[in-house]
Amino acid sequence: MLKFLSKVKIEFNALDPRIASCMEFLAQCNARKAKESNPACQVVVKRRTDDHPPQIAVTFVNGVEEVFDGTTTTAQSIRSMILEKGQNLETEQMFREAGEAWPVIIPEEELHQHAPGTKPRKAE
């Protein structure tokens, strides 16, 4: 998961009962396997003393930052989103390295063409 990120910032008040998501995500970030996937990724924890809601901010390797409300978003859904966006980043990089344009634009008429090796749909 961390291999797609350059920075993770987790903010919470330790006395806030809504910090479960932040703590779980922090545990995932501190896991050996996650750290080994990208040792350069910064994991920053900011302990707050005010009523600011728990928050998780991630910065992807391409500089895009996403901020999540730690009171309503589960650690697993944040992790899933990071992995999904990371796969998109890898695909984009693969196309760019191959000299192909990104994003790939498929003409509308090609979307409806019969693909060789597949059975055409029967009219109902």
Side-chain angles (χ1 to χ4, degrees):
M1 168 185 70
L2 292 183
K3 75 177 188 174
F4 304 118
L5 303 175
S6 60
K7 185 176 182 180
V8 175
K9 184 175 181 182
I10 302 172
E11 298 182 42
F12 60 88
N13 180 330
L15 301 177
D16 191 325
R18 306 169 293 170
I19 64 170
S21 181
C22 287
M23 298 307 286
E24 173 61 26
F25 193 74
L26 179 59
Q28 290 179 15
C29 290
N30 284 330
R32 183 179 50 80
K33 189 174 177 182
K35 285 188 170 195
E36 287 174 355
S37 71
N38 183 3
C41 180
Q42 284 184 290
V43 177
V44 178
V45 177
K46 181 176 180 184
R47 289 172 183 84
R48 302 183 68 104
T49 57
D50 58 9
D51 290 338
H52 191 274
Q55 176 176 296
I56 299 167
V58 297
T59 305
F60 288 87
V61 291
N62 65 353
V64 174
E65 184 180 27
E66 296 240 1
V67 179
F68 301 97
D69 180 351
T71 63
T72 59
T73 313
T74 66
Q76 186 58 40
S77 63
I78 295 170
R79 183 178 188 279
S80 296
M81 183 280 308
I82 291 168
L83 294 174
E84 183 180 322
K85 288 196 178 207
Q87 288 175 337
N88 290 340
L89 287 171
E90 283 183 334
T91 302
E92 178 181 348
Q93 182 179 359
M94 201 169 50
F95 270 81
R96 291 190 191 279
E97 287 173 358
E100 298 291 331
W102 185 264
V104 176
I105 308 292
I106 302 172
E108 185 69 29
E109 61 273 7
E110 287 185 25
L111 290 174
H112 303 291
Q113 288 180 351
H114 171 69
T118 62
K119 294 180 181 179
R121 281 183 141 181
K122 293 182 181 180
E124 294 181 23

